[in-house]
PDB file of all heavy atoms in Angstrom:
ATOM      1  N   ASN A   1      99.241 120.798 104.100  1.00 94.00           N
ATOM      2  CA  ASN A   1      99.172 120.523 105.538  1.00 94.00           C
ATOM      3  C   ASN A   1      99.471 119.070 105.868  1.00 94.00           C
ATOM      4  O   ASN A   1     100.056 118.773 106.914  1.00 94.00           O
ATOM      5  CB  ASN A   1      97.803 120.942 106.073  1.00 94.00           C
ATOM      6  CG  ASN A   1      97.671 122.447 106.178  1.00 94.00           C
ATOM      7  OD1 ASN A   1      98.324 123.083 106.987  1.00 94.00           O
ATOM      8  ND2 ASN A   1      96.834 123.036 105.325  1.00 94.00           N
ATOM      9  N   VAL A   2      99.091 118.151 104.991  1.00 95.00           N
ATOM     10  CA  VAL A   2      99.455 116.743 105.175  1.00 95.00           C
ATOM     11  C   VAL A   2     100.975 116.603 105.167  1.00 95.00           C
ATOM     12  O   VAL A   2     101.565 115.907 106.012  1.00 95.00           O
ATOM     13  CB  VAL A   2      98.814 115.873 104.077  1.00 95.00           C
ATOM     14  CG1 VAL A   2      99.495 114.503 104.008  1.00 95.00           C
ATOM     15  CG2 VAL A   2      97.324 115.700 104.344  1.00 95.00           C
ATOM     16  N   ASN A   3     101.629 117.287 104.225  1.00 94.00           N
ATOM     17  CA  ASN A   3     103.094 117.217 104.140  1.00 94.00           C
ATOM     18  C   ASN A   3     103.774 117.869 105.346  1.00 94.00           C
ATOM     19  O   ASN A   3     104.900 117.518 105.689  1.00 94.00           O
ATOM     20  CB  ASN A   3     103.571 117.879 102.847  1.00 94.00           C
ATOM     21  CG  ASN A   3     103.240 117.043 101.621  1.00 94.00           C
ATOM     22  OD1 ASN A   3     103.055 115.827 101.720  1.00 94.00           O
ATOM     23  ND2 ASN A   3     103.134 117.684 100.471  1.00 94.00           N
ATOM     24  N   ARG A   4     103.091 118.821 105.978  1.00 95.00           N
ATOM     25  CA  ARG A   4     103.637 119.419 107.211  1.00 95.00           C
ATOM     26  C   ARG A   4     103.577 118.436 108.372  1.00 95.00           C
ATOM     27  O   ARG A   4     104.440 118.438 109.256  1.00 95.00           O
ATOM     28  CB  ARG A   4     102.844 120.677 107.573  1.00 95.00           C
ATOM     29  CG  ARG A   4     103.122 121.880 106.693  1.00 95.00           C
ATOM     30  CD  ARG A   4     102.110 122.985 106.937  1.00 95.00           C
ATOM     31  NE  ARG A   4     102.475 124.226 106.251  1.00 95.00           N
ATOM     32  CZ  ARG A   4     101.666 125.272 106.098  1.00 95.00           C
ATOM     33  NH1 ARG A   4     100.437 125.217 106.606  1.00 95.00           N
ATOM     34  NH2 ARG A   4     102.074 126.353 105.471  1.00 95.00           N
ATOM     35  N   MET A   5     102.567 117.584 108.376  1.00 96.00           N
ATOM     36  CA  MET A   5     102.371 116.655 109.496  1.00 96.00           C
ATOM     37  C   MET A   5     103.244 115.411 109.423  1.00 96.00           C
ATOM     38  O   MET A   5     103.734 114.921 110.446  1.00 96.00           O
ATOM     39  CB  MET A   5     100.898 116.220 109.540  1.00 96.00           C
ATOM     40  CG  MET A   5      99.933 117.292 109.972  1.00 96.00           C
ATOM     41  SD  MET A   5      98.266 116.597 110.100  1.00 96.00           S
ATOM     42  CE  MET A   5      97.553 117.098 108.550  1.00 96.00           C
ATOM     43  N   ILE A   6     103.396 114.876 108.227  1.00 96.00           N
ATOM     44  CA  ILE A   6     104.007 113.556 108.069  1.00 96.00           C
ATOM     45  C   ILE A   6     105.395 113.420 108.707  1.00 96.00           C
ATOM     46  O   ILE A   6     105.679 112.396 109.352  1.00 96.00           O
ATOM     47  CB  ILE A   6     104.026 113.161 106.579  1.00 96.00           C
ATOM     48  CG1 ILE A   6     102.601 112.783 106.154  1.00 96.00           C
ATOM     49  CG2 ILE A   6     104.989 112.008 106.313  1.00 96.00           C
ATOM     50  CD1 ILE A   6     102.446 112.461 104.694  1.00 96.00           C
ATOM     51  N   PRO A   7     106.287 114.426 108.583  1.00 95.00           N
ATOM     52  CA  PRO A   7     107.601 114.257 109.230  1.00 95.00           C
ATOM     53  C   PRO A   7     107.514 114.086 110.744  1.00 95.00           C
ATOM     54  O   PRO A   7     108.440 113.549 111.370  1.00 95.00           O
ATOM     55  CB  PRO A   7     108.340 115.550 108.858  1.00 95.00           C
ATOM     56  CG  PRO A   7     107.661 116.045 107.633  1.00 95.00           C
ATOM     57  CD  PRO A   7     106.220 115.682 107.809  1.00 95.00           C
ATOM     58  N   HIS A   8     106.427 114.526 111.353  1.00 96.00           N
ATOM     59  CA  HIS A   8     106.308 114.512 112.810  1.00 96.00           C
ATOM     60  C   HIS A   8     105.482 113.338 113.344  1.00 96.00           C
ATOM     61  O   HIS A   8     105.812 112.778 114.393  1.00 96.00           O
ATOM     62  CB  HIS A   8     105.697 115.827 113.287  1.00 96.00           C
ATOM     63  CG  HIS A   8     106.480 117.033 112.861  1.00 96.00           C
ATOM     64  ND1 HIS A   8     107.694 117.376 113.417  1.00 96.00           N
ATOM     65  CD2 HIS A   8     106.230 117.974 111.898  1.00 96.00           C
ATOM     66  CE1 HIS A   8     108.160 118.473 112.841  1.00 96.00           C
ATOM     67  NE2 HIS A   8     107.288 118.849 111.917  1.00 96.00           N
ATOM     68  N   ILE A   9     104.424 112.969 112.656  1.00 96.00           N
ATOM     69  CA  ILE A   9     103.567 111.882 113.172  1.00 96.00           C
ATOM     70  C   ILE A   9     103.338 110.772 112.156  1.00 96.00           C
ATOM     71  O   ILE A   9     102.656 109.791 112.455  1.00 96.00           O
ATOM     72  CB  ILE A   9     102.190 112.427 113.628  1.00 96.00           C
ATOM     73  CG1 ILE A   9     101.452 113.105 112.454  1.00 96.00           C
ATOM     74  CG2 ILE A   9     102.341 113.378 114.799  1.00 96.00           C
ATOM     75  CD1 ILE A   9     100.029 113.527 112.792  1.00 96.00           C
ATOM     76  N   GLY A  10     103.918 110.908 110.966  1.00 95.00           N
ATOM     77  CA  GLY A  10     103.663 109.941 109.899  1.00 95.00           C
ATOM     78  C   GLY A  10     104.114 108.526 110.195  1.00 95.00           C
ATOM     79  O   GLY A  10     103.538 107.554 109.689  1.00 95.00           O
ATOM     80  N   ARG A  11     105.139 108.369 111.035  1.00 95.00           N
ATOM     81  CA  ARG A  11     105.698 107.034 111.287  1.00 95.00           C
ATOM     82  C   ARG A  11     104.826 106.196 112.213  1.00 95.00           C
ATOM     83  O   ARG A  11     104.963 104.957 112.250  1.00 95.00           O
ATOM     84  CB  ARG A  11     107.099 107.162 111.878  1.00 95.00           C
ATOM     85  CG  ARG A  11     107.125 107.726 113.293  1.00 95.00           C
ATOM     86  CD  ARG A  11     108.543 107.929 113.797  1.00 95.00           C
ATOM     87  NE  ARG A  11     108.593 108.382 115.168  1.00 95.00           N
ATOM     88  CZ  ARG A  11     108.432 109.643 115.545  1.00 95.00           C
ATOM     89  NH1 ARG A  11     108.172 110.575 114.638  1.00 95.00           N
ATOM     90  NH2 ARG A  11     108.519 109.981 116.819  1.00 95.00           N
ATOM     91  N   TRP A  12     103.959 106.849 112.996  1.00 94.00           N
ATOM     92  CA  TRP A  12     103.141 106.112 113.944  1.00 94.00           C
ATOM     93  C   TRP A  12     102.062 105.311 113.225  1.00 94.00           C
ATOM     94  O   TRP A  12     101.542 105.731 112.193  1.00 94.00           O
ATOM     95  CB  TRP A  12     102.475 107.059 114.943  1.00 94.00           C
ATOM     96  CG  TRP A  12     103.440 107.773 115.829  1.00 94.00           C
ATOM     97  CD1 TRP A  12     103.881 109.057 115.703  1.00 94.00           C
ATOM     98  CD2 TRP A  12     104.110 107.232 116.965  1.00 94.00           C
ATOM     99  NE1 TRP A  12     104.778 109.357 116.689  1.00 94.00           N
ATOM    100  CE2 TRP A  12     104.945 108.250 117.486  1.00 94.00           C
ATOM    101  CE3 TRP A  12     104.081 105.983 117.600  1.00 94.00           C
ATOM    102  CZ2 TRP A  12     105.740 108.065 118.599  1.00 94.00           C
ATOM    103  CZ3 TRP A  12     104.878 105.801 118.720  1.00 94.00           C
ATOM    104  CH2 TRP A  12     105.698 106.825 119.212  1.00 94.00           C
ATOM    105  N   LYS A  13     101.720 104.153 113.791  1.00 93.00           N
ATOM    106  CA  LYS A  13     100.552 103.434 113.300  1.00 93.00           C
ATOM    107  C   LYS A  13      99.315 104.297 113.596  1.00 93.00           C
ATOM    108  O   LYS A  13      99.243 104.922 114.648  1.00 93.00           O
ATOM    109  CB  LYS A  13     100.427 102.071 113.994  1.00 93.00           C
ATOM    110  CG  LYS A  13     101.590 101.113 113.732  1.00 93.00           C
ATOM    111  CD  LYS A  13     101.581 100.631 112.294  1.00 93.00           C
ATOM    112  CE  LYS A  13     102.556  99.464 112.092  1.00 93.00           C
ATOM    113  NZ  LYS A  13     103.956  99.840 112.339  1.00 93.00           N
ATOM    114  N   LEU A  14      98.380 104.305 112.681  1.00 93.00           N
ATOM    115  CA  LEU A  14      97.187 105.129 112.880  1.00 93.00           C
ATOM    116  C   LEU A  14      96.474 104.751 114.173  1.00 93.00           C
ATOM    117  O   LEU A  14      95.997 105.621 114.909  1.00 93.00           O
ATOM    118  CB  LEU A  14      96.235 104.968 111.682  1.00 93.00           C
ATOM    119  CG  LEU A  14      94.932 105.770 111.746  1.00 93.00           C
ATOM    120  CD1 LEU A  14      95.221 107.263 111.818  1.00 93.00           C
ATOM    121  CD2 LEU A  14      94.051 105.443 110.545  1.00 93.00           C
ATOM    122  N   THR A  15      96.416 103.457 114.460  1.00 89.00           N
ATOM    123  CA  THR A  15      95.721 102.994 115.663  1.00 89.00           C
ATOM    124  C   THR A  15      96.497 103.313 116.938  1.00 89.00           C
ATOM    125  O   THR A  15      95.948 103.202 118.035  1.00 89.00           O
ATOM    126  CB  THR A  15      95.482 101.477 115.591  1.00 89.00           C
ATOM    127  OG1 THR A  15      96.737 100.809 115.360  1.00 89.00           O
ATOM    128  CG2 THR A  15      94.511 101.136 114.465  1.00 89.00           C
ATOM    129  N   GLU A  16      97.758 103.701 116.802  1.00 90.00           N
ATOM    130  CA  GLU A  16      98.587 103.993 117.966  1.00 90.00           C
ATOM    131  C   GLU A  16      98.813 105.492 118.164  1.00 90.00           C
ATOM    132  O   GLU A  16      99.505 105.901 119.100  1.00 90.00           O
ATOM    133  CB  GLU A  16      99.940 103.287 117.839  1.00 90.00           C
ATOM    134  CG  GLU A  16      99.813 101.759 117.826  1.00 90.00           C
ATOM    135  CD  GLU A  16     101.154 101.075 117.584  1.00 90.00           C
ATOM    136  OE1 GLU A  16     102.140 101.787 117.286  1.00 90.00           O
ATOM    137  OE2 GLU A  16     101.206  99.831 117.679  1.00 90.00           O
ATOM    138  N   LEU A  17      98.238 106.314 117.273  1.00 93.00           N
ATOM    139  CA  LEU A  17      98.415 107.755 117.393  1.00 93.00           C
ATOM    140  C   LEU A  17      97.716 108.252 118.658  1.00 93.00           C
ATOM    141  O   LEU A  17      96.558 107.941 118.906  1.00 93.00           O
ATOM    142  CB  LEU A  17      97.835 108.469 116.166  1.00 93.00           C
ATOM    143  CG  LEU A  17      98.024 109.994 116.131  1.00 93.00           C
ATOM    144  CD1 LEU A  17      99.502 110.344 116.017  1.00 93.00           C
ATOM    145  CD2 LEU A  17      97.245 110.611 114.967  1.00 93.00           C
ATOM    146  N   ARG A  18      98.423 109.038 119.444  1.00 94.00           N
ATOM    147  CA  ARG A  18      97.894 109.519 120.708  1.00 94.00           C
ATOM    148  C   ARG A  18      97.984 111.053 120.777  1.00 94.00           C
ATOM    149  O   ARG A  18      98.719 111.687 120.019  1.00 94.00           O
ATOM    150  CB  ARG A  18      98.666 108.908 121.887  1.00 94.00           C
ATOM    151  CG  ARG A  18      98.561 107.391 121.963  1.00 94.00           C
ATOM    152  CD  ARG A  18      97.142 106.953 122.296  1.00 94.00           C
ATOM    153  NE  ARG A  18      97.022 105.498 122.411  1.00 94.00           N
ATOM    154  CZ  ARG A  18      96.578 104.705 121.437  1.00 94.00           C
ATOM    155  NH1 ARG A  18      96.231 105.233 120.254  1.00 94.00           N
ATOM    156  NH2 ARG A  18      96.485 103.406 121.635  1.00 94.00           N
ATOM    157  N   ALA A  19      97.272 111.618 121.734  1.00 94.00           N
ATOM    158  CA  ALA A  19      97.257 113.068 121.914  1.00 94.00           C
ATOM    159  C   ALA A  19      98.667 113.611 122.151  1.00 94.00           C
ATOM    160  O   ALA A  19      99.019 114.689 121.670  1.00 94.00           O
ATOM    161  CB  ALA A  19      96.341 113.439 123.073  1.00 94.00           C
ATOM    162  N   LYS A  20      99.492 112.867 122.887  1.00 94.00           N
ATOM    163  CA  LYS A  20     100.840 113.353 123.187  1.00 94.00           C
ATOM    164  C   LYS A  20     101.680 113.499 121.921  1.00 94.00           C
ATOM    165  O   LYS A  20     102.535 114.383 121.819  1.00 94.00           O
ATOM    166  CB  LYS A  20     101.532 112.431 124.195  1.00 94.00           C
ATOM    167  CG  LYS A  20     101.761 111.005 123.701  1.00 94.00           C
ATOM    168  CD  LYS A  20     102.435 110.152 124.771  1.00 94.00           C
ATOM    169  CE  LYS A  20     102.688 108.718 124.265  1.00 94.00           C
ATOM    170  NZ  LYS A  20     103.325 107.884 125.305  1.00 94.00           N
ATOM    171  N   HIS A  21     101.436 112.610 120.931  1.00 96.00           N
ATOM    172  CA  HIS A  21     102.166 112.709 119.671  1.00 96.00           C
ATOM    173  C   HIS A  21     101.738 113.965 118.915  1.00 96.00           C
ATOM    174  O   HIS A  21     102.569 114.674 118.325  1.00 96.00           O
ATOM    175  CB  HIS A  21     101.899 111.479 118.794  1.00 96.00           C
ATOM    176  CG  HIS A  21     102.216 110.189 119.469  1.00 96.00           C
ATOM    177  ND1 HIS A  21     101.440 109.052 119.316  1.00 96.00           N
ATOM    178  CD2 HIS A  21     103.217 109.853 120.323  1.00 96.00           C
ATOM    179  CE1 HIS A  21     101.964 108.074 120.028  1.00 96.00           C
ATOM    180  NE2 HIS A  21     103.037 108.537 120.657  1.00 96.00           N
ATOM    181  N   ILE A  22     100.453 114.253 118.942  1.00 96.00           N
ATOM    182  CA  ILE A  22      99.920 115.431 118.251  1.00 96.00           C
ATOM    183  C   ILE A  22     100.409 116.702 118.927  1.00 96.00           C
ATOM    184  O   ILE A  22     100.807 117.668 118.275  1.00 96.00           O
ATOM    185  CB  ILE A  22      98.382 115.372 118.215  1.00 96.00           C
ATOM    186  CG1 ILE A  22      97.917 114.131 117.432  1.00 96.00           C
ATOM    187  CG2 ILE A  22      97.805 116.630 117.592  1.00 96.00           C
ATOM    188  CD1 ILE A  22      96.426 113.875 117.501  1.00 96.00           C
ATOM    189  N   GLU A  23     100.395 116.707 120.260  1.00 95.00           N
ATOM    190  CA  GLU A  23     100.856 117.889 121.001  1.00 95.00           C
ATOM    191  C   GLU A  23     102.328 118.159 120.725  1.00 95.00           C
ATOM    192  O   GLU A  23     102.737 119.325 120.579  1.00 95.00           O
ATOM    193  CB  GLU A  23     100.617 117.679 122.492  1.00 95.00           C
ATOM    194  CG  GLU A  23      99.139 117.740 122.878  1.00 95.00           C
ATOM    195  CD  GLU A  23      98.893 117.312 124.311  1.00 95.00           C
ATOM    196  OE1 GLU A  23      99.786 116.640 124.889  1.00 95.00           O
ATOM    197  OE2 GLU A  23      97.814 117.643 124.858  1.00 95.00           O
ATOM    198  N   ALA A  24     103.130 117.100 120.664  1.00 95.00           N
ATOM    199  CA  ALA A  24     104.558 117.269 120.374  1.00 95.00           C
ATOM    200  C   ALA A  24     104.749 117.838 118.971  1.00 95.00           C
ATOM    201  O   ALA A  24     105.638 118.674 118.739  1.00 95.00           O
ATOM    202  CB  ALA A  24     105.275 115.928 120.504  1.00 95.00           C
ATOM    203  N   MET A  25     103.912 117.401 118.021  1.00 96.00           N
ATOM    204  CA  MET A  25     103.993 117.930 116.652  1.00 96.00           C
ATOM    205  C   MET A  25     103.680 119.424 116.635  1.00 96.00           C
ATOM    206  O   MET A  25     104.401 120.213 116.012  1.00 96.00           O
ATOM    207  CB  MET A  25     103.020 117.189 115.740  1.00 96.00           C
ATOM    208  CG  MET A  25     102.966 117.771 114.327  1.00 96.00           C
ATOM    209  SD  MET A  25     101.725 116.981 113.277  1.00 96.00           S
ATOM    210  CE  MET A  25     100.216 117.610 114.051  1.00 96.00           C
ATOM    211  N   TYR A  26     102.612 119.817 117.337  1.00 96.00           N
ATOM    212  CA  TYR A  26     102.254 121.227 117.362  1.00 96.00           C
ATOM    213  C   TYR A  26     103.389 122.068 117.947  1.00 96.00           C
ATOM    214  O   TYR A  26     103.671 123.170 117.458  1.00 96.00           O
ATOM    215  CB  TYR A  26     100.981 121.443 118.180  1.00 96.00           C
ATOM    216  CG  TYR A  26      99.724 120.902 117.532  1.00 96.00           C
ATOM    217  CD1 TYR A  26      98.628 120.529 118.300  1.00 96.00           C
ATOM    218  CD2 TYR A  26      99.633 120.770 116.146  1.00 96.00           C
ATOM    219  CE1 TYR A  26      97.476 120.038 117.712  1.00 96.00           C
ATOM    220  CE2 TYR A  26      98.485 120.276 115.552  1.00 96.00           C
ATOM    221  CZ  TYR A  26      97.410 119.912 116.337  1.00 96.00           C
ATOM    222  OH  TYR A  26      96.277 119.423 115.766  1.00 96.00           O
ATOM    223  N   LYS A  27     104.012 121.555 118.975  1.00 94.00           N
ATOM    224  CA  LYS A  27     105.092 122.298 119.621  1.00 94.00           C
ATOM    225  C   LYS A  27     106.243 122.538 118.653  1.00 94.00           C
ATOM    226  O   LYS A  27     106.825 123.625 118.605  1.00 94.00           O
ATOM    227  CB  LYS A  27     105.588 121.527 120.859  1.00 94.00           C
ATOM    228  CG  LYS A  27     106.591 122.303 121.701  1.00 94.00           C
ATOM    229  CD  LYS A  27     106.927 121.553 122.986  1.00 94.00           C
ATOM    230  CE  LYS A  27     107.894 122.352 123.842  1.00 94.00           C
ATOM    231  NZ  LYS A  27     108.231 121.647 125.107  1.00 94.00           N
ATOM    232  N   ARG A  28     106.572 121.514 117.849  1.00 94.00           N
ATOM    233  CA  ARG A  28     107.660 121.672 116.881  1.00 94.00           C
ATOM    234  C   ARG A  28     107.242 122.581 115.726  1.00 94.00           C
ATOM    235  O   ARG A  28     108.027 123.399 115.245  1.00 94.00           O
ATOM    236  CB  ARG A  28     108.091 120.297 116.358  1.00 94.00           C
ATOM    237  CG  ARG A  28     108.831 119.456 117.411  1.00 94.00           C
ATOM    238  CD  ARG A  28     109.517 118.260 116.789  1.00 94.00           C
ATOM    239  NE  ARG A  28     108.546 117.302 116.291  1.00 94.00           N
ATOM    240  CZ  ARG A  28     108.040 116.291 116.995  1.00 94.00           C
ATOM    241  NH1 ARG A  28     108.422 116.129 118.258  1.00 94.00           N
ATOM    242  NH2 ARG A  28     107.184 115.450 116.469  1.00 94.00           N
ATOM    243  N   LEU A  29     106.003 122.429 115.273  1.00 94.00           N
ATOM    244  CA  LEU A  29     105.534 123.262 114.158  1.00 94.00           C
ATOM    245  C   LEU A  29     105.464 124.732 114.534  1.00 94.00           C
ATOM    246  O   LEU A  29     105.677 125.606 113.690  1.00 94.00           O
ATOM    247  CB  LEU A  29     104.155 122.779 113.690  1.00 94.00           C
ATOM    248  CG  LEU A  29     104.117 121.460 112.926  1.00 94.00           C
ATOM    249  CD1 LEU A  29     102.686 121.085 112.568  1.00 94.00           C
ATOM    250  CD2 LEU A  29     104.965 121.531 111.655  1.00 94.00           C
ATOM    251  N   GLU A  30     105.168 125.004 115.808  1.00 92.00           N
ATOM    252  CA  GLU A  30     105.098 126.396 116.261  1.00 92.00           C
ATOM    253  C   GLU A  30     106.446 127.096 116.169  1.00 92.00           C
ATOM    254  O   GLU A  30     106.514 128.322 116.136  1.00 92.00           O
ATOM    255  CB  GLU A  30     104.569 126.451 117.689  1.00 92.00           C
ATOM    256  CG  GLU A  30     103.065 126.200 117.780  1.00 92.00           C
ATOM    257  CD  GLU A  30     102.588 125.949 119.197  1.00 92.00           C
ATOM    258  OE1 GLU A  30     103.453 125.919 120.106  1.00 92.00           O
ATOM    259  OE2 GLU A  30     101.365 125.775 119.392  1.00 92.00           O
ATOM    260  N   GLU A  31     107.534 126.306 116.134  1.00 91.00           N
ATOM    261  CA  GLU A  31     108.873 126.878 115.982  1.00 91.00           C
ATOM    262  C   GLU A  31     109.178 127.190 114.521  1.00 91.00           C
ATOM    263  O   GLU A  31     110.094 127.959 114.227  1.00 91.00           O
ATOM    264  CB  GLU A  31     109.914 125.902 116.532  1.00 91.00           C
ATOM    265  CG  GLU A  31     109.755 125.604 118.021  1.00 91.00           C
ATOM    266  CD  GLU A  31     110.682 124.503 118.492  1.00 91.00           C
ATOM    267  OE1 GLU A  31     111.410 123.944 117.639  1.00 91.00           O
ATOM    268  OE2 GLU A  31     110.691 124.194 119.705  1.00 91.00           O
TER     269      GLU A  31
END
């Protein structure tokens, strides 16, 4: 699951990760 996430949100700084980034990841993963 970590490897599923990294291509989508891995580049962001941890302190800069926001809900919109997570929501966008879920939308792509659902495809």
Side-chain angles (χ1 to χ4, degrees):
N1 286 292
V2 164
N3 288 337
R4 286 169 171 168
M5 289 184 261
I6 286 176
H8 303 287
I9 60 174
R11 69 184 184 278
W12 295 101
K13 297 290 192 297
L14 180 61
T15 55
E16 297 175 352
L17 183 65
R18 298 293 182 262
K20 63 181 181 181
H21 304 141
I22 298 172
E23 288 171 341
M25 175 184 70
Y26 290 154
K27 187 174 182 180
R28 289 193 292 270
L29 288 178
E30 285 167 357
E31 298 173 357

